[in-house]
Amino acid sequence: MDDRTNAPARGRQKNLEARVWLRMLTCTNLVENELREILRARFDTTLARFDVLAQLARPPEEPTMGELSQRLMVTKGSITDVIGRLEAAGLVERERDPVDARVQRVRLTPRGRRLAARAIPAHNERLAQLMRGFGRDDLKTLDDLLGRLRAALRAAGDS
């Protein structure tokens, strides 16, 4: 076989990491767009606000602002802004930590809990619809591969 006919295949293999990254990014953007739309249309909220509500709805309860920032992998400034908006909407409240007054803990209000109780299942159902073309075994394999990738990326970041 002549080298010219193998050139496209070699180019694809040579840039495999970039292709995988671009596919993951494209998939992320497509899913986020769908989730943003359902959250806006059905719950009048943003994906960032939903992410905070979902974190507050799961244990451990009443995380600190710093813990929320770490869980969501965003800056403390971003969390402060989102929490301020959620607080103004009556969905969350902040309270000083009884042990360390420099620390603020965040919790859902009853109204925030009701919104989370409706929005989380709708969010999860939309994800299930978007991925319905994959069987459980495919999803488990993809989950395993992405878990391994995440671990490798974290290890690379530590070095």
Side-chain angles (χ1 to χ4, degrees):
M1 196 179 273
D2 137 355
D3 279 346
R4 286 175 290 156
T5 56
N6 277 338
R10 276 196 321 273
R12 282 193 302 273
Q13 292 302 314
K14 184 177 179 182
N15 298 317
L16 185 58
E17 296 83 359
R19 283 184 48 229
V20 168
W21 162 243
L22 291 173
R23 284 189 179 190
M24 287 190 311
L25 186 60
T26 299
C27 290
T28 297
N29 288 336
L30 290 168
V31 169
E32 281 186 355
N33 288 341
E34 288 290 326
L35 295 175
R36 276 189 182 94
E37 180 56 30
I38 193 171
L39 292 169
R40 184 198 57 74
R42 291 185 55 192
F43 304 102
D44 192 30
T45 195
T46 66
L47 188 54
R49 291 180 192 182
F50 169 82
D51 287 342
V52 171
L53 293 173
Q55 285 298 318
L56 292 172
R58 66 185 265 269
E61 291 187 12
E62 298 188 20
T64 67
M65 297 284 279
E67 288 167 346
L68 274 176
S69 171
Q70 288 176 338
R71 282 190 204 175
L72 294 167
M73 297 189 315
V74 297
T75 66
K76 288 180 184 177
S78 293
I79 283 296
T80 300
D81 181 56
V82 174
I83 292 295
R85 293 172 190 270
L86 289 169
E87 193 172 37
L91 299 170
V92 303
E93 51 194 16
R94 289 184 262 199
E95 188 173 282
R96 294 276 175 210
D97 186 272
V99 176
D100 185 347
R102 297 171 297 175
V103 174
Q104 288 185 336
R105 295 204 168 269
V106 186
R107 70 173 160 265
L108 291 170
T109 63
R111 183 174 172 207
R113 206 165 281 293
R114 287 190 301 274
L115 176 59
R118 291 185 353 258
I120 292 170
H123 171 275
N124 293 344
E125 176 58 31
R126 187 62 184 135
L127 280 174
Q129 290 170 355
L130 292 170
M131 296 185 193
R132 70 177 168 255
F134 290 88
R136 299 309 290 171
D137 289 341
D138 287 339
L139 288 173
K140 287 177 185 176
T141 299
L142 184 57
D143 181 53
D144 180 57
L145 289 169
L146 290 172
R148 288 173 42 204
L149 177 60
R150 180 182 60 203
L153 292 171
R154 285 184 172 157
D158 292 340
S159 57

